[in-house]
Amino acid sequence: MLNPAMPLPDDPLDRDILIGAGDISTDEMYINMGPQHPSTHGVLRVLLRTDGEIVTEAHPHIGYLHRCAEKIGECLDYIKFQPYTDRMDYLAAMNNNLGYAMTVEKLAGLEIPERAQLLRVIIVELNRIASHLIAFGTYGLDAGALTPFFHAWREREEMLTLFEKICGARLTYNYVCIGGVVNDMPEGWEDMVLDFLDRFEKRWKEYNDLLTYNRIFIRRTADIGVITREDCVAYALTGPMMRGSGIDWDLRRDRPYMMYDRFEYDIPIGEGKMGTVGDCWDRYWVRMVEMKESGKIVRQAFDMLKGAEGTHKAKVPKVFKPKKGECYVGIENPRGELGFYIVSDGSKNAYRMRVRGPSFCNLSILEKLLPGAMIADAVMIIGSTDIVLGEVDR
Amino acid sequence: MFEQSIILSAIRDAIDWVLGLVGQDISILPLPVQVVLCGLIAAGGLMGAIAFAVLIYVWMERRIAGRMQARRGPNRVGPYGLLQTVADTFKLLRKEDIIPTGANRILFAFAPMLVLAGVVAAFAAIPISWDADKGEPIMIADIDLGIFLITAIVATEVIGVIMAGWASNNKWSLYGAMREAAQVVSYEIPLGLSLLVPVLIVGDLSLGAATEDQLGGNWLIWRNPFMWAVFFIFYVAGLANCKRAPFDLPEAESELVAGFHTEYSGLRFSFFFMEEYASMTLISAIGAIYFFGAGDLFGLQGSSSLIMFGVLLFKILVSIFVMMWIRWTLPRLRIDQVMTLGYKVLTPIAFFLLLGVTVWDLYDLNDKLWELFSRS
């Protein structure tokens, strides 16, 4: 029986959930977390059913930032769609550019010069650091520590200046393009990046002192939101979400693209150092170590760049018409596997454009993870998925 | 009544002087009117002093936060950005006062006043200095039940917070209120127990007596080996009392939007804001008076009550700085962790320390150990 004292939610979908549940008790409360909530990292809305502080049911609702990116991709030329990929995962715009460019290149059978590939590796790995910095900072924010966020922001700001120097933009770069990169790096940029990396490694240790090994932070994240290996596979999780659960899988190494098979770096996986394997702390730690590993890759790439052949961009015809066919390319985005699936009918537009967003897939496990957690844990779990709503909704 | 309070009798003298200008004196007013008038003036002064202090604290907090977060903090309005908080106050005053639909209007309006009133009233029993000539503490009301009154009157603030959360007609506010209720029962016990220890040593509930007892460097913190631990418990529980990080759960901005004051705006919001800083000052003042010798600086301050006031103020500011430091460093605890900390960690330790101090004082171990050492 429905309790007449409890008002029904306005949303018909919520109403269905409520009525379908059948066992409404007055102790329980429906509460909307988002879309305007400080800790849903954008416009995610999670409908929570709570018993006191404990979440008994959670339904993520998405779509508040839907901009028809895929449909736009079908209506525009291949080259014109490039800037729209920036707007999907705006924290890792370079990676999104790369995923799209690589897919189109594979479709068209373009050969990319070595120098262009190395420049792509450098910029993409730098963007991975910048993206994980946000993940680190906002995770501290979720835990109630404001200072790590500002410290992360300070470094990110330096990185954005570096990006600005190479491509003129600070958020939506449109730098990696079909055929290579838009322009070669400017004079002295290499030294600036290396200089930054030196400083960054010192500050990376500061982050750990400030947040990672903080007792309160560990108690807020260890053993919270544990994802088992089976769940990872069942929910198609990728990236740090999956590696945090101890699954050793990284597209850069296991399905090498560009020149990733020629670099030496470690793939961090969750080991349950502070609690159970696959808890929030493990996912957080994977991201922290990945920042350091990305730095290693950038250094190696700069060394290789000295002997690299070719220019920064292959010759691409002005009217770009790949032949009929379809292809899928997945790359390792900071958040997981970002895949583009493009069907070409031989015209200058894609016949079908489909994006496999890592955030979108990683988000799906919230429904399973949140029940049983407290509201404060729910915030930590949502934070540990490190979603970007621009890419979830596209 | 006036004999007990230096401040109130000073106010009465001032009224007397003003009435003297028109050829009258204070005896034309009946005694109840005198008491109420002096009380009102003292309350107004207290309120003004706290409001002024809050302006400084907010500026301090923002500058300190800026320092710790590799940024600058306010530095444009006035010298060192000092007038920024004044500008913000005017902004808050001018803001629209919104009462949400479905809110309980009476409780909603009453809650911020109750919250602030409780904390401000507690300052009446805080001695701000020491009058060496008269041998009396300078305070508004030197009541025998000093600390008891303070703990009792501060508790009304909790009612205000719960009231605000309940009346807001917002589920997040309700969560904030319920968290406050859960939190208060877990920190008030260790807080009370840790305050019992200095009371035990001084042998008087009045804070004025504690000030007198510690003159000349004889601070309570040196009296026996348990005192540092007692102070630590007091400080941690005090932080929870102020709803400061890492115990800012009732207003946890990343979880509950803004907790119990989500729906408040303008002046009503600023009341909650002032309350937070006022209770920080209160906890710091109690800490300074009960553990670190109030206005005493090892007797170096001489007999000037102004310097003693300055010394006390300095101690309070140091404590407030530490509170800000903690806030900008630590993440927030979860509600069950706060309750575990209160019930399972702080309370047993506080009981143990209370017992230890009792035994120490009962057998006069300070003197006995001193003899033991001086003999060998």
Side-chain angles (χ1 to χ4, degrees), chain A residues 55 77 120 124 135 142-143 147 176 180 188 192 204 274 280 304-305 372:
Chain A
V55 177
D77 297 3
R120 281 179 169 187
V124 159
D142 289 343
T147 305
V176 179
M192 285 163 70
W204 187 80
M274 297 295 164
C280 288
M304 286 172 160
L305 200 59

Side-chain angles (χ1 to χ4, degrees), chain B residues 56 74 103 129 167 217 280:
Chain B
I56 303 292
S129 186
M280 276 163 75

Side-chain angles (χ1 to χ4, degrees), chain B residues 26-79:
Chain B
I26 192 130
S27 53
I28 60 156
L29 299 170
L31 189 64
V33 176
Q34 282 181 31
V35 171
V36 169
L37 194 62
C38 292
L40 278 178
I41 291 172
L46 195 56
M47 195 63 219
I50 287 171
F52 177 73
V54 169
L55 287 184
I56 303 292
Y57 288 155
V58 173
W59 173 81
M60 215 171 113
E61 172 118 56
R62 292 166 73 177
R63 293 290 289 193
I64 289 170
R67 264 278 193 236
M68 290 182 181
Q69 297 174 341
R71 54 191 181 87
R72 286 174 212 281
N75 64 351
R76 291 301 168 96
V77 190

Side-chain angles (χ1 to χ4, degrees), chain A residues 56-193:
Chain A
T56 54
E57 238 180 273
H59 303 280
H61 290 229
I62 57 169
Y64 291 90
L65 203 58
H66 181 56
R67 291 154 302 173
C68 305
E70 289 173 2
K71 187 66 194 165
I72 292 172
E74 289 160 18
C75 298
L76 291 178
D77 297 3
Y78 285 98
I79 295 170
K80 280 185 187 165
F81 181 57
Q82 186 81 50
Y84 287 86
T85 58
D86 285 314
R87 274 87 180 157
M88 283 190 237
D89 184 349
Y90 40 78
L91 294 181
M94 297 281 191
N95 299 59
N96 280 31
N97 286 168
L98 178 70
Y100 176 68
M102 275 175 59
T103 317
V104 177
E105 283 155 9
K106 193 176 172 193
L107 200 62
L110 277 173
E111 279 294 320
I112 309 303
E114 209 169 74
R115 187 173 176 83
Q117 293 207 16
L118 283 169
L119 281 169
R120 281 179 169 187
V121 168
I122 290 168
I123 205 75
V124 159
E125 291 304 321
L126 284 177
N127 205 165
R128 191 186 308 278
I129 297 178
S131 169
H132 282 341
L133 274 175
I134 292 278
F136 154 75
T138 51
Y139 204 41
L141 219 54
D142 289 343
L146 266 75
T147 305
F149 179 71
F150 285 93
H151 285 225
W153 204 264
R154 175 185 60 189
E155 268 69 79
R156 187 178 148 85
E157 202 65 15
E158 285 184 36
M159 304 201 77
L160 295 188
T161 311
L162 290 175
F163 293 155
E164 196 183 359
K165 287 225 157 61
I166 201 166
C167 67
R170 291 173 75 86
L171 186 69
T172 48
Y173 313 107
N174 193 22
Y175 176 65
V176 179
C177 64
I178 298 167
V181 292
V182 170
N183 45 20
D184 212 329
M185 59 181 186
E187 198 92 353
W189 195 73
E190 180 182 345
D191 295 333
M192 285 163 70
V193 173

Side-chain angles (χ1 to χ4, degrees), chain A residues 193-210:
Chain A
V193 173
L194 293 177
D195 192 41
F196 167 76
L197 286 176
D198 289 342
R199 262 175 294 143
F200 178 72
E201 270 149 30
K202 278 188 208 112
R203 281 167 179 177
W204 187 80
K205 293 195 182 78
E206 279 179 22
Y207 299 160
N208 290 338
D209 293 341
L210 185 61

Side-chain angles (χ1 to χ4, degrees), chain A residues 9-33:
Chain A
D10 298 331
D11 190 324
L13 184 62
D14 302 348
R15 222 173 257 257
D16 287 350
I17 294 164
L18 191 66
I19 295 165
D23 57 338
I24 312 294
S25 66
T26 44
D27 301 342
E28 295 192 326
M29 180 158 85
Y30 274 91
I31 187 162
N32 266 317
M33 190 182 240

